[in-house]
Amino acid sequence: MVKICCIGAGYVGGPTMAVIALKCPSIEVAVVDISVPRINAWNSDQLPIYEPGLDDVVKQCRGKNLFFSTDVEKHVREADIVFVSVNTPTKTRGLGAGKAADLTYWESAARMIADVSKSDKIVVEKSTVPVKTAEAIEKILTHNSKGIKFQILSNPEFLAEGTAIQDLFNPDRVLIGGRETPEGNKAVQALKDVYAHWVPEDRILTTNLWSAELSKLAANAFLAQRISSVNAMSALCEATGADVTQVSYAVGKDTRIGPKFLNASVGFGGSCFQKDILNLVYICECNGLPEVAEYWRQVIKINDYQKNRFVNRVVSSMFNTVSNKKIAILGFAFKKDTGDTRETPAIDVCKGLLGDKARLSIYDPQVTEDQIQRDLTMNKFDWDHPLHLQPMSPTTVKQVTCVWDAYEATKDAHGICILTEWDEFKTLDFKRIYDNMQKPAFVFDGRNIVNADQLREIGFIVYSIGKPLDAWLKDMPAVA
């Protein structure tokens, strides 16, 4: 029986291994992590992450051929294939600070694999890693190998949160990069055989190691670039009276461009886009390509600009001050159908409003108060370290309250900021909300999900990103 072990029970490791276990009943899959609370959660009815469909998959396999354990060394020793899915945060100090990936957790995983292994193993990079990581890991394994042979493969994940299980069941492509040697090809084939249980052969792509590593960074950079492109257009649309929804629809009708990832918003978030682009920038700089580095850096600059622009619009519309005004924040996750708040634009928007002394009332159907408080007090990039290494019990932000109902959040508020496109926000009773708010009542729609005309009829002053401006907003231009 083939045994697979995955080090790291997070957003990537957990769902990926659960689906492999479901689709390959003949393979024994163990997911290991040093975090006891996280493994306990995976073994309970309340899984540590929210992902539609994940519960069913885990419940079907757990205890049969899918196991979650803190006995890392035992499972690594017994495995034929070891997936490494650990955090690769952006470095906050030292060489490459603010851009380069911190490979501390990766390196300690590699050293541990070399230490405990008694048989040959295939080691698979599953975390998003900078190009040439495989080479470094290979060196650590070979220099500590005691005669055991290791083959390194790169198998980047292309999951979108909120649809991860569907993405795993029916992937656009599975990418496997390996050494172009007989042993390397054999290892690639072994991993290919696992995926071939349910993925059609023509969707399993094989490349060399560097191409696989770079393809992941490139894919995320291209996706983020599309968002920044449409967000840049949204600013121009507001200035000229064009409607960004109409513009992006017209642009997306061109089959060479296509309609996906062309929704203007308050900005992109998530654990990968910014991190991967910063990583790409750093790699370009290290390889003497400053122009290329600068090109990709602009994608992040526009994203930051969009978040600042949104905050400025809120403050300037409300008589240039939000001091001591209650503002309702609807949605905190970086997108709908996930509880993930990593790099969510809501953090910067909330911090911007708090900087102007606003009082915030936050509601998100999937994000806990503890997580929101932690996000608003944490330093940049701290979120990407394992939980037990993050600052303990964060100091709470006094001007922030978290509530479990949109109506409670908006009661007595001066304004509403919609920062996540949860479906439930489209069907709220806005008349009821309006009646319970301070007047004039503002809605700042950072996701373009509400019907602005209907809200204006109720009496709201509405700002939608990239849409023709309300007369009120025209009188009070946002100062950038």
Side-chain angles (χ1 to χ4, degrees):
M1 184 184 217
V2 174
K3 288 192 174 181
I4 289 178
C5 170
C6 174
I7 304 172
Y11 276 94
V12 175
T16 307
M17 294 303 121
V19 169
I20 288 179
L22 179 72
K23 298 292 191 180
C24 313
S26 60
I27 294 177
E28 186 180 296
V29 181
V31 183
V32 296
D33 201 295
I34 51 177
S35 164
V36 176
R38 177 167 272 188
I39 291 298
N40 288 346
W42 278 109
N43 282 319
S44 75
D45 285 338
Q46 193 61 52
L47 300 185
I49 61 176
Y50 169 71
E51 192 60 59
L54 178 62
D55 270 29
D56 296 347
V57 175
V58 170
K59 283 178 183 142
Q60 281 181 65
C61 308
R62 196 170 54 193
K64 294 180 191 153
N65 68 327
L66 174 65
F67 304 93
F68 296 94
S69 166
T70 50
D71 193 343
V72 179
E73 298 189 358
K74 167 185 180 284
H75 288 287
V76 168
R77 189 179 305 116
E78 292 174 358
D80 305 293
I81 303 175
V82 180
F83 284 83
V84 183
S85 188
V86 296
N87 302 58
T88 50
T90 305
K91 283 179 80 168
T92 47
R93 51 173 67 108
L95 188 64
K99 291 183 293 225
D102 179 346
L103 297 177
T104 312
Y105 307 116
W106 233 115
E107 183 173 333
S108 56
R111 289 183 184 279
M112 183 270 299
I113 293 169
D115 260 3
V116 307
S117 294
K118 302 261 190 295
S119 56
D120 294 354
K121 299 206 183 315
I122 296 170
V123 179
V124 185
E125 290 179 336
K126 200 75 189 147
S127 326
T128 305
V129 290
V131 185
K132 301 282 182 175
T133 302
E135 197 161 40
I137 303 306
E138 207 168 45
K139 283 177 182 155
I140 291 166
L141 291 171
T142 348
H143 284 284
N144 295 284
S145 70
K146 316 183 203 87
I148 287 161
K149 292 196 167 49
F150 295 101
Q151 276 301 321
I152 316 288
L153 301 178
S154 171
N155 173 219
E157 56 81 22
F158 294 105
L159 305 179
E161 281 174 48
T163 56
I165 299 300
Q166 272 321 109
D167 295 344
L168 284 161
F169 282 173
N170 186 22
D172 288 341
R173 78 295 204 195
V174 170
L175 188 56
I176 304 172
R179 285 269 183 215
E180 291 168 313
T181 61
E183 300 77 24
N185 292 337
K186 200 171 149 203
V188 168
Q189 191 55 49
L191 185 54
K192 210 172 163 179
D193 291 345
V194 172
Y195 284 111
H197 280 81
W198 78 96
V199 181
E201 178 96 20
D202 60 342
R203 289 198 198 170
I204 305 176
L205 317 180
T206 56
T207 65
N208 69 28
L209 271 174
W210 322 141
S211 298
E213 288 180 330
L214 189 53
S215 297
K216 168 68 180 169
L217 296 185
N220 276 346
F222 276 47
L223 290 171
Q225 181 193 37
R226 280 178 78 102
I227 298 173
S228 279
S229 296
V230 78
N231 283 345
M233 283 298 159
S234 75
L236 185 57
C237 286
E238 286 169 33
T240 56
D243 180 333
V244 74
T245 313
Q246 295 174 350
V247 173
S248 59
Y249 181 75
V251 168
K253 276 296 184 193
D254 185 326
T255 50
R256 296 165 303 175
I257 297 171
K260 292 187 176 166
F261 272 72
L262 287 182
N263 292 326
S265 68
V266 60
F268 60 73
S271 61
C272 286
F273 282 1
Q274 174 158 311
K275 182 170 82 176
D276 288 358
I277 294 173
L278 288 171
N279 216 322
L280 197 57
V281 166
Y282 183 66
I283 294 163
C284 293
E285 288 173 349
C286 292
N287 284 289
L289 302 169
E291 293 83 359
V292 181
E294 197 45 44
Y295 175 76
W296 287 110
R297 192 185 271 110
Q298 291 304 323
V299 172
I300 291 175
K301 281 192 177 164
I302 287 284
N303 197 47
D304 290 340
Y305 163 76
Q306 188 77 343
K307 291 181 282 193
N308 290 336
R309 209 166 70 76
F310 188 84
V311 172
N312 291 341
R313 182 68 76 186
V314 174
V315 177
S316 67
S317 306
M318 298 171 79
F319 314 103
N320 232 5
T321 176
V322 288
S323 181
N324 219 20
K325 290 178 183 170
K326 176 177 173 180
I327 296 183
I329 303 290
L330 297 187
F332 198 84
F334 83 92
K335 67 174 182 183
K336 71 173 187 177
D337 295 339
T338 175
D340 193 352
T341 62
R342 294 178 294 179
E343 294 288 348
T344 171
I347 294 173
D348 286 336
V349 170
C350 289
K351 283 183 173 176
L353 294 170
L354 290 167
D356 213 303
K357 300 196 172 56
R359 289 182 301 118
L360 303 183
S361 183
I362 303 176
Y363 165 63
D364 186 289
Q366 283 297 334
V367 184
T368 62
E369 175 161 15
D370 178 60
Q371 185 62 52
I372 290 171
Q373 287 286 3
R374 185 189 285 279
D375 285 330
L376 292 177
T377 48
M378 234 186 298
N379 292 326
K380 207 164 172 53
F381 303 130
D382 273 359
W383 57 266
D384 206 3
H385 292 265
L387 208 54
H388 63 287
L389 296 177
Q390 287 176 11
M392 281 311 287
S393 61
T395 49
T396 55
V397 182
K398 303 262 186 305
Q399 309 102 289
V400 172
T401 52
C402 299
V403 295
W404 279 102
D405 166 49
Y407 298 104
E408 184 59 36
T410 52
K411 190 167 178 263
D412 288 326
H414 286 261
I416 301 171
C417 295
I418 302 173
L419 300 183
T420 311
E421 71 281 19
W422 287 102
D423 290 336
E424 66 181 75
F425 298 158
K426 297 176 186 172
T427 54
L428 291 171
D429 179 348
F430 278 101
K431 178 77 180 89
R432 174 183 161 192
I433 288 174
Y434 180 77
D435 292 342
N436 289 319
M437 281 176 70
Q438 301 282 341
K439 307 297 180 298
F442 296 85
V443 171
F444 301 95
D445 184 0
R447 296 286 177 176
N448 286 349
I449 59 166
V450 297
N451 182 325
D453 292 336
Q454 278 177 8
L455 263 57
R456 287 187 183 113
E457 273 168 34
I458 293 170
F460 284 103
I461 293 158
V462 185
Y463 165 66
S464 303
I465 285 186
K467 305 274 188 152
L469 294 177
D470 213 295
W472 178 289
L473 301 168
K474 277 187 188 143
D475 295 340
M476 301 203 169
V479 249

